[in-house]
Amino acid sequence: MEAVLVSACLRGVPCRYDGRDKASSEIDEAVAGRAVVSFCPEVAGGLATPRRPAELVGGDGHDVLDGTARVVEDTGRDVTAEFVAGAHRALAAARHGGCAEALLMPRSPSCGRGAVYDGSFAGETVSGDGVTAALLERHGITVRAAPGV
């Protein structure tokens, strides 16, 4: 059976920064018939739930991995190390589960694919990927943003 890594919040785990989840029937349909590995990189990286909102500053997840951008909470606290650690744990979980694909939470500084919040905390997005999405892509895992979220 084909396996897919899915952001845990999309599977009903209340692990988002606001302590909520983003489960939906669209997600259930998108993963129907597949083995699902649910994972939250932010929690795995050591961040609490709920937690302060965080956004990418100075680039996207690829830039964070390259050391030229960072992840910062709305208070200014740098949480780059936690996001990078969580991304590496997500990659390990995907490999362990045999996942060739990931279905991730859109716009997230961890899981965003194609668009992420711009670092202004004003709800604006820019092109780019989150830290986990970038790391998974670099290791040959196809990353898609979850539909309808």
Side-chain angles (χ1 to χ4, degrees):
M1 177 181 299
E2 188 177 322
V4 60
L5 182 78
V6 180
S7 298
C9 63
L10 297 172
R11 298 296 292 161
V13 178
C15 58
R16 285 172 36 92
Y17 76 94
D18 59 7
R20 296 169 43 197
D21 71 65
K22 281 291 206 176
S24 73
S25 58
E26 284 182 86
I27 301 304
D28 293 340
E29 291 170 20
V31 300
R34 300 173 74 183
V36 174
V37 176
S38 296
F39 199 85
C40 178
E42 293 174 26
V43 171
L47 296 173
T49 304
R51 57 189 165 276
R52 301 299 313 169
E55 293 189 8
L56 296 157
V57 175
D60 76 346
H62 293 280
D63 299 311
V64 169
L65 294 172
D66 293 340
T68 60
R70 53 200 181 102
V71 187
V72 179
E73 292 180 338
D74 62 349
T75 61
R77 178 177 155 227
D78 189 315
V79 289
T80 303
E82 290 89 339
F83 274 72
V84 171
H88 283 281
R89 290 182 179 121
L91 175 60
R95 285 179 166 164
H96 181 76
C99 302
E101 184 179 4
L103 184 65
L104 303 179
M105 180 66 197
R107 299 172 301 281
S108 158
S110 286
C111 298
R113 173 69 177 105
V116 291
Y117 289 111
D118 70 356
S120 69
F121 297 93
E124 299 296 322
T125 60
V126 293
S127 294
D129 299 321
V131 179
T132 296
L135 186 66
L136 295 174
E137 289 172 352
R138 287 182 177 193
H139 288 273
I141 295 173
T142 301
V143 178
R144 294 187 302 126
V149 182

